[in-house]
Amino acid sequence: MKIIMLGAPGAGKGTQAKKIADKFNIPHISTGDIFRANLKEGTELGLKAKEYMDKGELVPDGLTCDLVMDRIAKDDAKNGFVLDGFPRTIPQAEALTEALKKIGQAMDIAINVDVPDENIVERMGGRRACVGCGATYHVVTVPPKTEGKCDRCGAELILRDDDKPETVKKRLAVYHEQTQPLIDYYEGQGILKTVDGTLPPESVEEAVFALLK
Ligand code: AP5
Ligand code: MG
Ligand code: ZN
């Protein structure tokens, strides 16, 4: 199964993508997580990505597409994968469609996790992210079992640099301008499904798994 998670920043793409990846035993490919991991290791890619991420802007398509195409060609992605945060622009979506077409494949489903802007800013303030595996928590709605430690891997939980309210507003504006058009793009391909992302995480999960049966 090859799955795309669509949705605004903070809609819950990462939260649901992790569940899907665990259940179907396929890789969770989050471009944001890959950029953050690179930054932590101080790679050139990470430093370049940081310039854009800190401002709430998108990393250039060329850099991002190369990275994803390499990742989905790896052995562990043979039986499928779940993309989270990619594609994020029409050129990225077209590059993905073309790359898969070349090997006689196509994405199976694009799940739009729908959450209005009003709910987003308050969600981001309470988010905590795992430095080890990228899992996300929320101090109120999705607390970890032990404060400050990841349930999945035990690593430390941190606040993300781009979760400041001003940066979140910029990310939302960029989302509406550059990423929202992908809803029509995948509707046109006949693979778009929408779930109500304002429901509690377990209810969203149920709706997502119902689509994947
Ligand atoms: P990225 O890391 O992808 O960030 P994003 O898209 O802004 O999305 P988030 O990770 O913030 O939110 P999410 O939808 O995963 O929500 P989560 O599950 O954490 O990208 C960061 C940056 O990298 C970009 O701004 C850009 O610069 C760059 N980048 C990445 N990909 C790129 C690309 N393809 N092209 C160019 N640039 C790229 O949930 C949010 C919070 O809500 C958590 O606290 C969670 O616990 C909580 N929560 C989740 N579900 C619920 C629920 N149902 N009810 C209540 N709370 C919930
Ligand atoms: Mg995420
Ligand atoms: Zn973890």
Side-chain angles (χ1 to χ4, degrees):
M1 188 84 110
K2 291 190 282 301
I3 304 159
I4 296 172
M5 301 306 289
L6 288 177
K13 302 180 296 293
T15 302
Q16 298 303 329
K18 278 264 177 283
K19 306 276 182 192
I20 296 171
D22 286 351
K23 175 150 174 174
F24 292 95
N25 200 19
I26 53 177
H28 167 207
I29 302 174
S30 157
T31 37
D33 286 353
I34 295 172
F35 292 138
R36 282 184 289 276
N38 271 275
L39 180 59
K40 208 172 134 218
E41 312 227 305
T43 70
E44 203 183 316
L45 173 70
L47 293 171
K48 219 175 256 173
K50 182 181 161 61
E51 287 174 33
Y52 300 92
M53 293 171 80
D54 281 355
K55 289 187 273 184
E57 290 169 5
L58 296 183
V59 177
D61 286 340
L63 272 182
T64 312
C65 287
D66 287 351
L67 177 101
V68 173
M69 301 318 158
D70 286 349
R71 181 63 189 86
I72 64 179
K74 294 225 161 91
D75 258 2
D76 68 344
K78 285 239 153 55
N79 294 323
F81 46 82
V82 50
L83 294 178
D84 159 14
F86 183 93
R88 232 181 173 95
T89 63
I90 293 285
Q92 289 182 14
E94 285 170 345
L96 177 65
T97 302
E98 285 310 310
L100 289 172
K101 212 187 227 168
K102 275 194 196 135
I103 52 169
Q105 296 189 12
M107 295 305 297
D108 296 302
I109 185 170
I111 303 176
N112 179 31
V113 184
D114 190 28
V115 178
D117 289 10
E118 304 85 84
N119 301 40
I120 300 278
V121 181
E122 67 175 63
R123 263 193 200 184
M124 300 303 225
R127 168 158 65 185
R128 297 293 179 273
C130 174
V131 292
C133 73
T136 47
Y137 300 86
H138 189 280
V139 289
V140 179
T141 53
V142 192
K145 290 195 182 89
T146 310
E147 202 189 311
K149 290 259 177 300
C150 178
D151 293 350
R152 299 172 87 243
C153 76
E156 182 200 355
L157 302 182
I158 54 149
L159 272 165
R160 261 169 57 176
D161 286 340
D162 59 349
D163 279 350
K164 294 191 283 291
E166 319 84 76
T167 317
V168 171
K169 285 198 189 112
K170 171 70 181 173
R171 284 160 62 199
L172 277 170
V174 168
Y175 166 76
H176 289 300
E177 188 187 318
Q178 302 200 53
T179 308
Q180 213 170 7
L182 295 181
I183 294 176
D184 286 341
Y185 180 87
Y186 287 109
E187 179 88 70
Q189 290 200 355
I191 61 168
L192 183 82
K193 301 282 178 197
T194 298
V195 296
D196 179 356
T198 64
L199 299 173
E202 307 73 40
S203 309
V204 180
E205 187 182 338
E206 218 173 280
V208 165
F209 283 138
L211 293 173
L212 299 176
K213 273 214 189 98

